[in-house]
């Protein structure tokens, strides 16, 4: 008998619901993105985010059930994001999940959003018929997070495995070995995108535009993070880009042109490319090269230091094409396997929450009536 978990995610600006069987088979996954609403503010506005979650949560859950051709009666448990995230946003999914679990008489499993991102990689590995060898290091790199974990797998106790129909189910343990001291990498992309008038969020468009520039044109120095060399820092490179632009008044007219284009709703890479000079494309490519090399260098150093056998990379920035290429080649040199989620599983979704809930459900780690949202909820 399969265990079907309904996952609910509402930690930031995506309202998502998904149904995952036995922690690995995605039966449905629905994401309602609020990006259009927050775009004109150049970032997520918390009050607007909660309001949209309230509007979307019921239809998104219904759609997830319909897509899986299931009803509430077919669901065995509910997994819901407890944190970290925006407290008003988290509360919408959490309260809905609580009420649903209570009224259906089903168990409720609180999930750490960051553990969800780890499981996004494991879901994809299963889809690809691959199995990452443990221990692993996992880099979670998004608009809100840039953090490195050492991930270990432990077999669940025999009783829990029996409940899983005899299949081998792992429980994962995490220790945080590095994190950003200031901006997240995705935040740096978005801030540079703002400086250069490339729209919001900056990452996806800059990823495409970077392919047209020379990544060695502008030199950025890699930040030194004293104390822990596995920590990151991205506010310096953002400031360096700002200084670079301020020192070149000839860049202003094209920035103004792109701002006008964005105001007309022209925001694709194809529409912005003709409005970018070679100097701008070089700057974007150099910024990206520097960020990607820094992420890979520290992650691979972490893998070596902690004896990892695989490297997992997850979160919105893991969708970046140069990052995927560079991590792939660097990991190969180090004799490590590297795993990414698909682009859809890289960004926030609820399939990863349902998958992360599964081992906790088997281990009986359920929510009590006191369960509350936690804006700062460290995984380790
Ligand atoms: O995981 P996510 O959807 O939301 C959170 O921040 O939790 O990540 C969104 C972030 C944004 O900062 C966006 O600019 C960045 O991921 N991003 C990218 C790419 N796609 C999304 N950054 C670089 N290259 C991309 N292809
Ligand atoms: Zn996330």
């Amino acid at each position: 008998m399969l265990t079907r978990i309904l996952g609910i995610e509402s930690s930031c600006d995506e309202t998502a619901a998904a149904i995952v069987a036995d922690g690995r088979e995605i039966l449905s996954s629905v994401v309602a993105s609020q990006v259009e609403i927050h775009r004109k503010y150049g970032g997520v506005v918390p009050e607007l985010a909660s309001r949209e979650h309230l509007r979307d949560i019921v239809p998104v859950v219904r759609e997830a059930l319909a897509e899986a051709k299931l009803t509430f009666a077919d669901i065995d448990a509910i997994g819901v994001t407890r944190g970290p995230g925006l407290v008003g946003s988290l509360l919408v999914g959490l309260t809905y999940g609580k009420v649903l679990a209570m009224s259906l008489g089903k168990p409720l499993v609180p999930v750490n959003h960051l553990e969800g991102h780890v499981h996004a990689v494991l879901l994809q590995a299963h889809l690809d018929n691959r199995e990452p060898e443990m221990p692993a290091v996992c880099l979670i790199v998004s608009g809100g997070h840039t953090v490195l974990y050492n991930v270990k797998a432990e077999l669940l106790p025999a009783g829990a495995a029996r409940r899983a129909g005899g299949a081998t189910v792992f429980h994962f343990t995490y220790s945080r070995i590095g994190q950003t001291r200031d901006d997240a990498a995705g935040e740096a992309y978005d801030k540079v995108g703002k400086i250069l008038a490339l729209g919001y969020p900056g990452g996806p468009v800059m990823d495409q535009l970077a392919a047209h520039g020379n990544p060695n044109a502008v030199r950025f120095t890699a930040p030194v993070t004293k104390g822990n060399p596995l920590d990151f820092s991205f506010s310096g490179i953002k400031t360096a880009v700002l200084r670079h632009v301020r020192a070149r008044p000839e860049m202003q007219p094209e920035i103004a042109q792109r701002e006008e284009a964005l105001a007309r709703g022209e925001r694709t890479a194809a529409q912005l490319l003709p409005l970018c000079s070679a100097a701008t494309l070089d700057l974007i490519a150099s910024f990206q090269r520097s960020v990607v090399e820094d992420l890979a260098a520290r992650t691979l150093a972490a893998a070596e230091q902690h004896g990892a056998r695989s490297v997992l990379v997850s979160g919105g920035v893991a969708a970046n094409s140069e990052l995927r290429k560079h991590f792939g080649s660097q990991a190969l040199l180090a004799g490590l396997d590297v795993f990414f989620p698909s682009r859809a599983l890289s960004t926030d979704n609820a399939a990863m929450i349902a998958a992360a809930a599964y081992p906790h459900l088997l281990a009986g780690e359920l929510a009590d009536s006191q369960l509350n949202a936690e804006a700062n909820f460290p995984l380790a």
Side-chain angles (χ1 to χ4, degrees):
M1 216 6 217
L2 292 175
T3 302
R4 298 187 188 106
I5 299 183
L6 166 67
I8 297 174
E9 154 65 33
S10 69
S11 65
C12 189
D13 60 341
E14 263 103 20
T15 319
I19 297 160
V20 176
D22 283 356
R24 30 177 54 193
E25 309 288 342
I26 303 172
L27 306 182
S28 66
S29 181
V30 178
V31 180
S33 167
Q34 305 176 359
V35 70
E36 292 305 327
I37 287 150
H38 301 291
R39 197 189 306 278
K40 57 176 167 296
Y41 305 100
V44 178
V45 183
E47 292 77 8
L48 294 182
S50 332
R51 199 182 70 190
E52 289 306 305
H53 284 303
L54 270 176
R55 203 195 307 260
D56 288 338
I57 188 81
V58 172
V60 163
V61 170
R62 281 213 185 109
E63 205 179 319
L65 285 168
E67 206 179 285
K69 300 192 174 55
L70 297 172
T71 67
F72 279 127
D74 303 313
I75 299 300
D76 299 294
I78 294 155
V80 65
T81 305
R82 177 180 177 191
L86 300 169
V87 74
S89 290
L90 285 164
L91 272 172
V92 176
L94 193 86
T95 309
Y96 182 72
K98 250 184 172 177
V99 170
L100 204 56
M102 230 184 283
S103 61
L104 297 172
K106 314 259 169 163
L108 180 67
V109 185
V111 175
N112 186 303
H113 179 81
L114 297 165
E115 183 170 27
H117 276 299
V118 178
H119 277 265
V121 192
L122 303 176
L123 274 172
Q124 185 64 43
H126 177 67
L127 281 170
D128 298 341
N129 263 322
R130 296 170 72 204
E131 203 68 59
E133 280 190 60
M134 296 286 158
V137 292
C138 182
L139 169 70
I140 298 172
V141 59
S142 71
H145 309 279
T146 300
V147 55
L148 268 172
Y149 292 104
N150 190 15
V151 185
K152 290 188 180 142
E154 282 166 12
L155 275 176
L156 277 177
R162 259 201 309 283
R163 255 180 278 156
T168 315
V169 182
F170 292 103
H171 205 279
F172 296 94
T173 57
Y174 309 89
S175 45
R176 193 175 59 212
I177 53 178
Q179 65 186 324
T180 183
R181 295 190 177 175
D182 38 61
D183 293 350
E187 194 179 350
Y189 263 98
D190 296 340
K191 285 177 175 169
V192 168
K194 204 167 189 171
I195 295 167
L196 294 174
L198 298 168
Y200 169 84
V205 167
M206 288 167 67
D207 186 358
Q208 293 178 55
L209 293 176
H212 300 271
N214 172 7
N216 301 313
V218 185
R219 289 267 158 223
F220 295 107
T221 42
V224 178
T225 49
K226 282 200 191 106
N228 182 5
L230 300 182
D231 277 351
F232 301 91
S233 166
F234 294 106
S235 73
I237 190 165
K238 168 205 67 190
T239 311
V241 169
L242 185 63
R243 255 193 255 117
H244 184 97
V245 173
R246 284 206 178 133
R248 288 166 183 76
E250 67 275 16
M251 282 184 150
Q252 286 312 316
E254 57 169 308
I255 288 177
Q257 278 187 354
R258 289 195 295 272
E259 260 156 13
E260 283 164 25
L262 290 170
R264 290 193 298 271
E266 296 164 16
R267 62 175 79 93
T268 66
Q271 286 167 325
L272 295 171
L273 179 60
L275 304 176
C276 291
S277 65
T280 293
L281 294 170
D282 287 351
L283 181 60
I284 296 168
S286 303
F287 164 81
Q288 173 157 291
R289 170 67 54 92
S290 177
V291 169
V292 163
E293 282 185 349
D294 189 65
L295 289 169
R298 289 183 215 263
T299 303
L300 288 162
E304 194 188 340
Q305 208 172 310
H306 291 269
R309 297 161 84 167
S310 325
V311 173
L312 319 179
V313 191
S314 192
V317 183
N320 186 272
S321 36
E322 187 171 345
L323 180 144
R324 286 177 181 242
K325 239 184 280 160
H326 189 67
F327 265 81
S329 62
Q330 293 304 107
L332 194 68
L333 286 176
L336 291 163
D337 271 337
V338 59
F339 294 77
F340 297 99
S342 64
R343 275 165 211 265
L345 284 169
S346 293
T347 50
D348 288 350
N349 65 87
M352 68 185 197
I353 302 303
Y358 183 58
H360 292 295
L361 175 69
L362 294 179
E365 293 159 3
L366 307 179
D368 59 25
S369 57
Q370 305 300 310
L371 177 69
N372 212 341
E374 294 205 27
N376 301 307
F377 185 32
L379 178 56

